[in-house]
Amino acid sequence: MSEPAREQWASRAGFVLATLGCAVGLGNIWRFAYVAGENGGAAFLVAYVACVVAIGLPAVLAEFALGGRARLDVVGAFSTGRAPRARRRAGAGAVLTAFLILAYYSVVAGWAYKYFAGYATGELRGLPRGEAAARFAAFLREPFEPTAWHFAFMASATAVVALGVARGIERASRILMPLLGAIVLLLAGYALSLPGAARGLAFLFAPDWSALARPGLYLAALGQAFFSLGVGMGVLITYASYVREGERLPRAAGMIAAGDTLFAVAAGIAIFPAVFAFGLDPAQGPALAFVTLPQVFALMPGGGWFATAFFFLLSAAALTSAVSLLEVVAAFGMRRLGLARRTAALLAGLAAFAAGVPAALGSGVWRDVALLGRGILEVMDYVTGSLLLPLGGIAVVVFVGWFVPRAAAVEASGLRSGALVRLWLLAVRYLAPAAIAVMLVALAGA
Ligand code: PFF
């Protein structure tokens, strides 16, 4: 079967911005800050940066090399070369992981849409401080609304993917990413001007070196690095398959690792000074963005505007990440089933919407449904984030490090300096697989 000409990014900046759009998402805005806070602040930051540089960055480059070389979707990229069967399964696993993450990610992003709309129209402004938790719970308990916002979010991601690589994904990222950078910096600047901001900064940056002795810290740092960079699900493989000849992949990988990390730090600076300035506790997970922060906004001068900007930031960051996940599934459908882009995007979007409905209901009407002692959304997050994602990561680095002929892998990586090649191969062949294996074993024992 002859393949239609493969789509391409229209520009270098487009590729970098789209990949940054994949990396910067819900993970940077609340997850990073709270995981960092729980794990000793600055100590976590040191471990996190070490994980990004030593393991995350080489893994990003491994995915880029694989995608740039094969110029195929994930399953295709994995099955090029010898003895493809087991590896094709690894590719199919990546598509499935992307699909499952997308399903529940869209539910949480739908909450962000709801809060953005609520603050923009004024419905949520002036919410009395004590009512934030009750309001969020009431929203979740209702069967229709969370599902409708989940649908709205998935529909917008589907529209972007349906428009195509250059006209949809690249254009959305070109508009949204610089805007998001500006918003996060403005919010951080404003948060720093609040009285008592220093305590928030201390929470995020004051070193508690004793925390470095806890193995849990490294696990948290590595897991966060993978989730945040978007490694292990074939997104970076798929995006790299659309680059033009001569793209400098190592430079792009470095920019993404640096940009993603800086974004997380800036979001932490935007969030914690405000939380501490008003004497609130940094709560866990989704509650931070949807319960704690609305209490902060209720107290802040200009809090309604701050809130509108914040939830726009959260929604738009989530959108470009969800688009990347949907593209993995759609690209697979296009190649494997020969579907047109629009049909593939629509089918993938509808299927992921359907798969996310239990998670949307699981925080409300179905909140008593528990699997392994957790709610539906938490189980999907746990199984994909802690299990499938590290498995996907190990598959990529092992494949590139051990199965692709060495010269071809180095050539595809675009690395030119001998020292960097050696460091990269060391990371991809030994360090990253060992670190991920330790993480999986530790999780199994947890
Ligand atoms: N990196 C995104 C975030 O930090 O929210 C989430 C994500 C996107 C994970 C794409 C995985 C992925 F393939």
Side-chain angles (χ1 to χ4, degrees):
M1 187 175 66
S2 80
E3 307 248 345
R6 193 154 185 80
E7 289 175 77
Q8 286 192 334
W9 303 109
S11 64
R12 282 203 173 145
F15 165 59
V16 171
L17 288 172
T19 316
L20 203 56
C22 151
V24 171
L26 299 172
N28 301 60
I29 297 172
W30 56 257
R31 196 176 189 277
F32 172 83
Y34 117 79
V35 178
E38 264 195 356
N39 287 281
F44 174 84
L45 202 55
V46 171
Y48 179 74
V49 172
C51 284
V52 168
V53 173
I55 297 162
L57 179 59
V60 169
L61 189 56
E63 286 210 17
F64 280 177
L66 196 53
R69 173 170 176 265
R71 301 207 169 265
L72 288 170
D73 66 298
V74 201
V75 178
F78 263 106
S79 43
T80 49
R82 291 165 282 137
R85 207 139 137 235
R87 290 182 275 115
R88 195 178 304 135
R89 289 211 188 105
V95 174
L96 184 70
T97 308
F99 176 79
L100 289 175
I101 293 194
L102 175 63
Y104 77 84
Y105 199 84
S106 166
V107 172
V108 179
W111 302 345
Y113 266 30
K114 151 84 183 170
Y115 271 61
F116 168 63
Y119 278 104
T121 61
E123 180 204 334
L124 285 172
R125 290 195 193 187
L127 183 69
R129 198 185 138 186
E131 278 180 23
R135 177 66 77 95
F136 186 54
F139 163 61
L140 292 184
R141 249 197 316 277
E142 205 262 326
F144 179 71
E145 240 204 299
T147 312
W149 286 107
H150 162 48
F151 183 82
F153 178 82
M154 193 69 86
S156 41
T158 305
V160 173
V161 171
L163 281 171
V165 171
R167 282 182 47 227
I169 305 176
E170 179 167 352
R171 205 149 38 132
S173 311
R174 270 179 165 273
I175 298 169
L176 288 175
M177 295 319 290
L179 189 63
L180 292 187
I183 293 178
V184 83
L185 290 180
L186 273 178
L187 293 182
Y190 183 59
L192 285 178
S193 74
L194 292 170
R199 282 197 52 215
L201 290 183
F203 175 73
L204 201 56
F205 295 111
D208 166 13
W209 299 115
S210 67
L212 282 179
R214 289 212 320 261
L217 172 104
Y218 300 96
L219 224 54
L222 190 61
Q224 173 65 17
F226 268 46
F227 187 86
S228 193
L229 290 170
V231 170
M233 267 146 291
V235 169
L236 304 173
I237 298 176
T238 307
Y239 275 18
S241 76
Y242 304 129
V243 295
R244 292 153 171 249
E245 286 304 327
E247 177 74 52
R248 282 149 68 189
L249 296 176
R251 206 182 69 135
M255 284 169 73
I256 283 138
D260 186 56
T261 306
L262 288 176
F263 203 100
V265 170
I269 296 176
I271 293 170
F272 286 107
V275 170
F276 279 88
F278 296 108
L280 293 164
D281 257 353
Q284 290 189 2
L288 176 69
F290 300 99
V291 175
T292 308
L293 290 181
Q295 300 184 53
V296 174
F297 301 143
L299 292 169
M300 266 164 100
W305 293 108
F306 192 101
T308 310
F310 176 81
F311 283 108
F312 177 79
L313 175 73
L314 197 61
S315 303
L319 180 65
T320 49
S321 295
V323 158
S324 72
L325 292 164
L326 187 60
E327 175 65 18
V328 168
V329 184
F332 170 69
M334 280 157 57
R335 186 189 60 91
R336 192 60 215 274
L337 309 174
L339 299 173
R341 170 169 281 280
R342 284 191 180 183
T343 319
L346 198 66
L347 288 180
L350 273 175
F353 166 72
V357 168
L361 300 177
S363 309
V365 272
W366 287 0
R367 67 188 170 287
D368 294 333
V369 179
L371 310 160
L372 316 166
R374 299 164 197 256
I376 298 171
L377 198 148
E378 286 78 13
V379 170
M380 291 176 83
D381 185 35
Y382 183 77
V383 170
T384 51
S386 303
L387 201 67
L388 297 179
L389 187 148
L391 279 175
I394 218 167
V396 170
V397 286
V398 166
F399 181 50
V400 173
W402 295 100
F403 285 78
V404 176
R406 193 187 143 116
V410 172
E411 160 82 30
S413 76
L415 286 170
R416 297 282 169 265
S417 124
L420 285 181
V421 167
R422 274 194 295 280
L423 278 177
W424 181 62
L425 286 175
L426 183 75
V428 167
R429 294 187 140 187
Y430 304 100
L431 196 62
I436 304 167
V438 168
M439 172 172 160
L440 285 168
V441 170
L443 276 173

